[in-house]
Amino acid sequence: MRVILGNGLWVSERDDHKVQKKGLLSAFTRQRVNALYPIVCKRPSETIQEVAIALNQHKGILDTANWASRYALDVIGSAGLGKDFMAIQDENNALVKVCKKVFKVSKQQRTIFLLNTFLPWWLLSNLPLSHNHEFLQASKAIRQVCQDVIHQRRAQYACEGVWGTDLLSTAIQIGRFSDENLIDQVMTFLAAGHETTESSLVWAIYLLAKHPELQKTLRVDIPENVPPIESDAEITSDDIKRVPLLHAVCNETLRIFGPVRLTMREAACDTYLQDSAVPCGIKFMISSCATNIDETLWGPDASEFNPYRWLSENEEGNWVFLHEGGATSKYAMLTFSQGHRGCIGQGFAKAEFACLISGWLGRFSFQLEA
Ligand code: HEM
């Protein structure tokens, strides 16, 4: 990962990680994420137009993964970097192709990663494989795009005295990162925030297709609370919050089909986990997909898709969102991991998730292909 992400937040360790995280957290505060809503919510309306054309051409059959991927890339491009990749309009443009080369794991890449468990990276990356050459070229090309955008942002600030609302502009303003490290952070956002979002969206559509009654209820709740996605009115986080069932569907999808199935840790010193001694150097696998459906934490229906576990009815008979989904512990949900290495993009990811589902449900009805 270091080859692609340099020394970005995801791969940095110990004090270096602490300093980077402290700096970047200010780019992901609730206020900052709320400021990104207009950028994020513009994208579903663009996808709707293109998806409607695609549906006409393909007799109503939709390749959801393809569209979710294009949406996720354009959102992270605009919100992360302030650059429109135009994947929604044209999935074959040069920049999109380059991004796919670097961030989509191909079969050859998977084999190389696997071999890297036994063989050193310098040897593998120097093998005369077409993949190695193309991968390094593509990685260089994206880094150059990031560098250009950094220059543009600074020049724009020098002229106009204002920064953009995108994550890169915020990171530049923080003033703690060298240009090289800013590029590493942007590469990290692109890598961490693309396939994860894409996969979650696909599962959400799959689950909604299997539960038409939920689509029906949401199709009433959403228009009552959120301005139409195709209108000029800006959608805010407050609009989305007024539909607790939408949040519940997103959270329940992320609980059952969280895209990061496991993470790894290594004990940095001798320690204890509850009463068990853990020697230094021991490697752990933390499996979110097991914890997220653990019956002792979530109850006997832990494996079932039930968005209503995230809701409780108040005295006026309205739904209120429950942040822990009725689980016995806040650590029962490990989709975004927890603690100081937990996902920094969690709030942002949930916002783009809710915006797309809200937009698509307002326009289309989904069922599984027969
Ligand atoms: C559904 C979407 C997402 C899921 C499920 C997810 C999940 C995760 C998980 C499980 C980790 C911890 C990885 C580990 O411990 O090894 C993580 C870390 C991280 N994520 Fe996300 N993520 C999502 C979206 C995003 C987005 C949109 C961004 C950026 C805008 C992002 C940026 C990061 C970063 C920078 C880290 C490293 C944090 C650190 O080490 O301190 N993620 N994510």
Side-chain angles (χ1 to χ4, degrees):
M1 282 166 78
R2 210 175 274 279
V3 177
I4 311 173
L5 308 181
N7 189 33
L9 184 65
W10 206 350
V11 288
S12 61
E13 294 281 358
R14 301 185 183 222
D15 285 349
D16 187 20
H17 173 264
K18 237 184 235 170
V19 173
Q20 290 196 26
K21 187 114 184 194
K22 203 169 162 206
L24 286 174
L25 273 172
S26 48
F28 286 89
T29 58
R30 190 171 300 201
Q31 235 179 348
R32 295 274 188 191
V33 172
N34 287 349
L36 291 170
Y37 265 76
I39 302 180
V40 172
C41 289
K42 204 175 121 227
R43 299 294 157 179
S45 71
E46 291 172 1
T47 354
I48 285 170
Q49 289 166 17
E50 300 293 330
V51 165
I53 298 170
L55 281 173
N56 272 336
Q57 288 167 349
H58 299 101
K59 299 184 183 145
I61 309 265
L62 185 71
D63 178 355
T64 319
N66 175 288
W67 287 100
S69 168
R70 290 159 74 169
Y71 165 75
L73 188 58
D74 277 358
V75 169
I76 196 66
S78 333
L81 185 61
K83 176 141 189 100
D84 193 348
F85 288 167
M86 305 284 284
I88 294 170
Q89 287 77 6
D90 175 13
E91 64 172 325
N92 292 316
N93 78 51
L95 193 51
V96 175
K97 275 191 180 161
V98 159
C99 284
K100 280 189 190 161
K101 182 86 3 248
V102 178
F103 300 118
K104 282 244 172 218
V105 185
S106 64
K107 267 191 195 155
Q108 208 180 40
Q109 223 163 341
R110 237 180 265 277
T111 316
I112 291 177
F113 286 159
L114 197 68
L115 287 173
N116 191 208
T117 335
F118 319 102
L119 300 171
W121 179 257
W122 63 262
L123 176 70
L124 293 167
S125 59
N126 281 305
L127 291 176
L129 301 170
S130 63
H131 165 271
N132 275 339
H133 177 69
E134 288 165 16
F135 173 78
L136 290 173
Q137 289 298 106
S139 182
K140 255 190 212 162
I142 304 187
R143 294 185 79 86
Q144 187 57 52
V145 170
C146 297
Q147 181 68 70
D148 295 345
V149 176
I150 293 172
H151 287 320
Q152 284 164 16
R153 291 284 166 281
R154 290 215 171 95
Q156 195 180 339
Y157 179 70
C159 277
E160 298 165 17
V162 281
W163 291 104
T165 46
D166 55 272
L167 297 169
L168 173 64
S169 294
T170 313
I172 300 175
Q173 287 172 74
I174 294 166
R176 285 193 192 167
F177 304 105
S178 65
D179 278 14
E180 194 58 20
N181 196 235
L182 280 171
I183 298 173
D184 294 343
Q185 305 304 352
V186 174
M187 294 294 279
T188 302
F189 300 155
L190 290 172
H194 178 208
E195 277 205 24
T196 44
T197 306
E198 169 195 335
S199 144
S200 312
L201 288 167
V202 174
W203 282 116
I205 298 295
Y206 166 78
L207 289 165
L208 284 165
K210 287 190 73 161
H211 294 270
E213 73 290 352
L214 277 175
Q215 291 191 52
K216 211 169 150 191
T217 314
L218 282 169
R219 224 168 267 125
V220 175
D221 288 1
I222 293 170
E224 276 175 9
N225 296 288
V226 183
I229 211 99
E230 287 116 324
S231 75
D232 287 338
E234 259 181 18
I235 296 177
T236 65
S237 58
D238 287 338
D239 298 327
I240 298 281
K241 268 190 210 129
R242 279 196 292 271
V243 192
L245 182 59
L246 177 62
H247 270 292
V249 166
C250 294
N251 273 272
E252 188 67 348
T253 307
L254 289 165
R255 181 181 75 85
I256 300 207
F257 291 119
V260 183
R261 310 302 279 168
L262 45 90
T263 55
M264 296 200 42
R265 295 287 183 272
E266 184 176 323
C269 58
D270 291 342
T271 185
Y272 285 88
L273 259 184
Q274 292 188 330
D275 294 333
S276 307
V278 177
C280 174
I282 283 282
K283 289 192 171 76
F284 295 82
M285 280 199 193
I286 305 171
S287 171
S288 63
C289 56
T291 307
N292 283 3
I293 54 163
D294 186 334
E295 289 188 8
T296 54
L297 298 164
W298 294 94
D301 68 342
S303 309
E304 284 163 33
F305 175 72
N306 172 18
Y308 291 97
R309 72 176 78 244
W310 296 89
L311 301 175
S312 136
E313 212 172 324
N314 68 12
E315 283 168 4
E316 289 92 51
N318 297 322
W319 291 119
V320 180
F321 183 74
L322 298 173
H323 288 277
E324 287 168 21
T328 53
S329 156
K330 79 166 194 165
Y331 296 104
M333 175 93 163
L334 291 185
T335 303
F336 292 96
S337 191
Q338 297 266 1
H340 75 290
R341 296 295 316 213
C343 178
I344 200 169
Q346 175 171 175
F348 174 75
K350 285 185 176 170
E352 58 175 327
F353 196 4
C355 280
L356 185 90
I357 299 294
S358 141
W360 277 19
L361 275 186
R363 179 70 169 76
F364 307 115
S365 120
F366 295 94
Q367 62 187 73
L368 295 179
E369 191 182 352

